Amino acid sequence: METINNLIKPSRLLLVTLLSLASVSLPVNAGKLYKWVDESGRVHYSDSMPPEDVRREHTYMDERGLTVNKVGAAKTQEEIEQQEALKRLQKEQQVLIKEQQAADRVLLRTFRSEDDILMARDGQLRAVDLSLQVINSNIRQLKSKLEEMQRNAASLELSGEAVSAEYLQRIDRKRQSLKESYQSIVHRERDKNRIRIAFARDLERFRVLKRLSRKPDDKLETAQSEEGLSNVYHCQGESRCEASWQAAKQYLHSHATTPVRMLAENILMTGQPVKAQDISVTMSRLTDSITRQTIIFMDLQCKDTPEGTAFCASEPVRQIRNGFNAAVAER
């Protein structure tokens, strides 16, 4: 028994000694040990970090040397701004995705097939064409009335009588109505373009959603640039537009077969067609009510009969329409 006690006593002494040494070797604030690498690449261990290294990446370790937490390097102002910009972009993308998903649901509820989309498009285009027919009919009436009023005014002047201010104002109002009608034609052509673009986009999206491929004989009508309209010229500057306006008037004299009935600062009009192969031309310089851009509009009309309509669709007349833009282009 005595021998056993003698063996235990040294072991207890050794344990106490080891614990004492451990308490001495541990930092004062045991459990708060940081590990980091400075700008020179040297590794440091300490219970506190210098102020100049606090923003660096560092590891928090416990008293056993095990990693408890790892703190990344503090972000720079530029990195913070980039992160915020990325968050905004992601949020915007989520909004766009939700909007697209909502639009897709509406598209699939509205149309059951490609033919449904094409029929809806053609219906809207026909409605615009009917509106254009009404406008063109009004233009014919306006031009006929203006021609009559111009003849009356000319007769009064030839007889030595003065044309009243009130009558001249009526003529001016008719001219303004004619110019507004031409502006309406340009706007309706824009409407047709928007319809074509919108339905072309819907058709392509419908095909994606339904996993359909384009048909070999598909002749989807595409949008036409408003600048590409053969009877509309868009001026590129007021000073240079004057030369184009003079060229437009010369173009009228070269191709109209009826005599000039009205000549004003911004409108030049020939008489109404009499024969089946007559060509009446009106040139009008307008300010687009939407874009505020100056445009030159050519109105070419034939006699309102089946023969006149056929003549207007002939190749010679088509060439007159198609050659207008090139003839008045600013050089």
Side-chain angles (χ1 to χ4, degrees):
M1 187 62 135
E2 182 179 348
T3 303
I4 295 174
N5 289 334
N6 290 335
L7 291 173
I8 294 175
K9 287 180 180 178
S11 299
R12 288 178 177 172
L13 179 61
L14 178 60
L15 180 59
V16 171
T17 303
L18 289 173
L19 290 173
S20 299
L21 290 173
S23 63
V24 171
S25 63
L26 288 173
V28 176
N29 296 319
K32 291 185 178 179
L33 187 63
Y34 297 93
K35 174 187 174 182
W36 75 95
V37 180
D38 65 17
E39 60 182 4
S40 301
R42 291 177 298 188
V43 180
H44 294 266
Y45 293 89
S46 176
D47 61 349
S48 64
M49 292 185 65
E52 64 270 17
D53 289 331
V54 169
R55 298 178 63 84
R56 296 184 181 280
E57 179 179 321
H58 56 274
T59 302
Y60 173 50
M61 306 170 67
D62 63 13
E63 65 274 8
R64 294 171 296 173
L66 300 176
T67 299
V68 175
N69 190 20
K70 187 173 183 179
V71 180
K75 292 182 174 62
T76 63
Q77 182 62 33
E78 182 180 0
E79 289 173 332
I80 293 173
E81 291 175 356
Q82 289 177 348
Q83 189 177 40
E84 290 176 350
L86 180 60
K87 288 180 180 178
R88 288 196 299 271
L89 180 60
Q90 291 172 337
K91 186 175 181 180
E92 291 171 1
Q93 288 176 335
Q94 288 299 317
V95 171
L96 291 175
I97 290 171
K98 289 181 180 179
E99 289 177 351
Q100 183 63 64
Q101 290 173 341
D104 289 345
R105 289 193 294 272
V106 172
L107 182 65
L108 293 174
R109 284 199 301 266
T110 305
F111 303 110
R112 294 174 298 175
S113 67
E114 295 174 88
D115 288 340
D116 285 349
I117 296 175
L118 297 176
M119 287 175 61
R121 179 205 63 188
D122 293 343
Q124 292 191 24
L125 289 174
R126 279 195 298 272
V128 177
D129 284 336
L130 287 173
S131 175
L132 285 168
Q133 289 178 18
V134 172
I135 294 171
N136 280 315
S137 177
N138 291 337
I139 287 173
R140 287 182 181 276
Q141 294 177 18
L142 282 169
K143 290 174 71 173
S144 179
K145 186 63 177 177
L146 266 172
E147 187 176 350
E148 178 187 346
M149 295 176 75
Q150 287 288 128
R151 283 198 303 266
N152 292 339
S155 296
L156 288 172
E157 290 176 346
L158 287 174
S159 64
E161 296 183 39
V163 181
S164 68
E166 190 273 336
Y167 196 76
L168 292 175
Q169 287 175 357
R170 286 174 56 195
I171 292 176
D172 190 61
R173 286 195 294 270
K174 290 292 182 184
R175 290 176 184 165
Q176 186 60 34
S177 296
L178 186 60
K179 291 170 68 175
E180 290 172 356
S181 296
Y182 290 149
Q183 287 179 334
S184 295
I185 289 178
V186 176
H187 296 165
R188 295 297 181 275
E189 291 294 344
R190 285 198 188 116
D191 290 340
K192 291 173 71 173
N193 278 346
R194 283 193 288 269
I195 291 169
R196 294 186 183 108
I197 291 171
F199 277 96
R201 187 184 300 119
D202 284 348
L203 182 58
E204 289 303 319
R205 185 61 183 170
F206 185 84
R207 286 170 173 162
V208 170
L209 296 173
K210 291 288 190 177
R211 295 179 174 83
L212 303 172
S213 58
R214 173 171 286 197
K215 300 174 183 176
D217 60 343
D218 185 6
K219 296 181 179 179
L220 180 64
E221 190 174 1
T222 56
Q224 178 186 30
S225 168
E226 64 187 65
E227 286 81 1
L229 297 176
S230 60
N231 61 337
V232 179
Y233 181 75
H234 293 249
C235 290
Q236 302 303 313
E238 292 303 317
S239 58
R240 298 171 63 189
C241 192
E242 181 59 32
S244 294
W245 175 239
Q246 297 304 321
K249 292 195 290 186
Q250 182 58 46
Y251 198 75
L252 176 146
H253 288 296
S254 299
H255 297 289
T257 63
T258 56
V260 173
R261 295 301 186 193
M262 179 184 298
L263 175 59
E265 182 179 1
N266 291 313
I267 190 168
L268 177 63
M269 184 182 81
T270 68
Q272 294 292 292
V274 177
K275 298 177 294 184
Q277 294 192 337
D278 270 345
I279 298 175
S280 172
V281 179
T282 300
M283 295 291 180
S284 184
R285 183 163 53 177
L286 314 168
T287 299
D288 192 307
S289 59
I290 295 177
T291 66
R292 309 311 302 170
Q293 184 180 14
T294 300
I295 60 176
I296 299 174
F297 185 90
M298 180 184 72
D299 176 29
L300 189 153
Q301 291 186 348
C302 304
K303 190 171 178 61
D304 191 16
T305 62
E307 295 80 5
T309 300
F311 175 65
C312 244
S314 67
E315 184 60 27
V317 178
R318 185 164 20 310
Q319 289 180 0
I320 294 173
R321 289 195 183 93
N322 294 338
F324 170 67
N325 264 268
V328 302
E330 300 158 12
R331 295 175 176 84

